[in-house]
Amino acid sequence: MFGIKQINKGYKTSMSVTYSVITKSFGNRVRILRNNLDVSREKFALKINMDRTYLASVENGKRILSLDNIKK
């Protein structure tokens, strides 16, 4: 009998694809808004009390944010 990991091996689930689309869209929107304010990534990260490298991963769509971090 095959386990779930064996069946799904090598395939993305629809849930992970959905998160990927959401995180990339959100990150892109954050970048656009930050650029519209003409603020560097470093200054923006300091203003919202977030590490610059964490903000970079958000803007690149590589982080799934908590609601607390989205609020920042």
Side-chain angles (χ1 to χ4, degrees):
M1 182 131 230
F2 291 105
I4 295 293
K5 287 184 179 182
Q6 291 171 322
I7 293 171
N8 289 333
K9 188 175 181 180
Y11 298 99
K12 283 190 171 183
T13 64
S14 62
M15 185 65 92
S16 65
V17 171
T18 300
Y19 280 133
S20 177
V21 170
I22 291 169
T23 56
K24 287 180 182 186
S25 296
F26 183 82
N28 190 46
R29 186 65 179 147
V30 169
R31 178 185 291 114
I32 289 168
L33 292 172
R34 180 181 57 76
N35 286 334
N36 286 344
L37 293 172
D38 197 30
V39 177
S40 71
R41 191 178 275 165
E42 186 172 4
K43 286 182 181 180
F44 187 70
L46 284 171
K47 184 173 179 76
I48 64 171
N49 195 29
M50 185 179 284
D51 186 78
R52 177 189 50 80
T53 58
Y54 187 85
L55 177 61
S57 64
V58 168
E59 288 185 356
N60 291 324
K62 297 184 180 189
R63 292 279 182 175
I64 297 175
L65 293 166
S66 69
L67 290 175
D68 289 336
N69 281 331
I70 291 171
K71 183 179 174 184
K72 288 180 180 182

